[in-house]
Amino acid sequence: MRNERRVWHAQRQPRMRDPPHRLVFLDETYVNTKMTRLHGRSRKGQRLRMSAPFGHWRTHPFVAWRRCN
């Protein structure tokens, strides 16, 4: 525990004090095509025409980042 505190004070805490314009926030997430709706709604008397993947159930991961400026 003592060693972890030393690492925190020596390496991690100074990074948190960096100016905000130098910080980058990363987020990793995914989209799964199995979550596509198979039913929908349309106006009365009109047919709903949309496409959905059929037979290609895949997971598409992606990473996003954001900065203050």
Side-chain angles (χ1 to χ4, degrees):
M1 190 62 141
R2 191 177 294 165
N3 190 29
E4 290 295 321
R5 271 193 220 121
R6 274 193 216 125
V7 169
W8 172 258
H9 286 293
Q11 295 175 5
R12 296 184 183 152
Q13 216 171 28
R15 286 278 187 210
M16 293 174 66
R17 291 187 184 123
D18 280 349
H21 69 275
R22 298 198 55 193
L23 295 177
V24 177
F25 299 93
L26 293 174
D27 182 29
E28 181 181 3
T29 188
Y30 69 94
V31 175
N32 192 332
T33 56
K34 287 183 186 178
M35 297 179 354
T36 304
R37 289 185 174 189
L38 301 178
H39 303 283
R41 296 182 181 182
S42 64
R43 294 185 182 196
K44 188 174 182 178
Q46 292 183 352
R47 185 178 181 130
L48 178 66
R49 296 184 184 265
M50 295 295 293
S51 61
F54 177 75
H56 299 288
W57 305 117
R58 296 184 180 142
T59 300
H60 300 281
F62 62 92
V63 177
W65 61 273
R66 184 170 195 144
R67 297 183 77 163
C68 290
N69 56 2

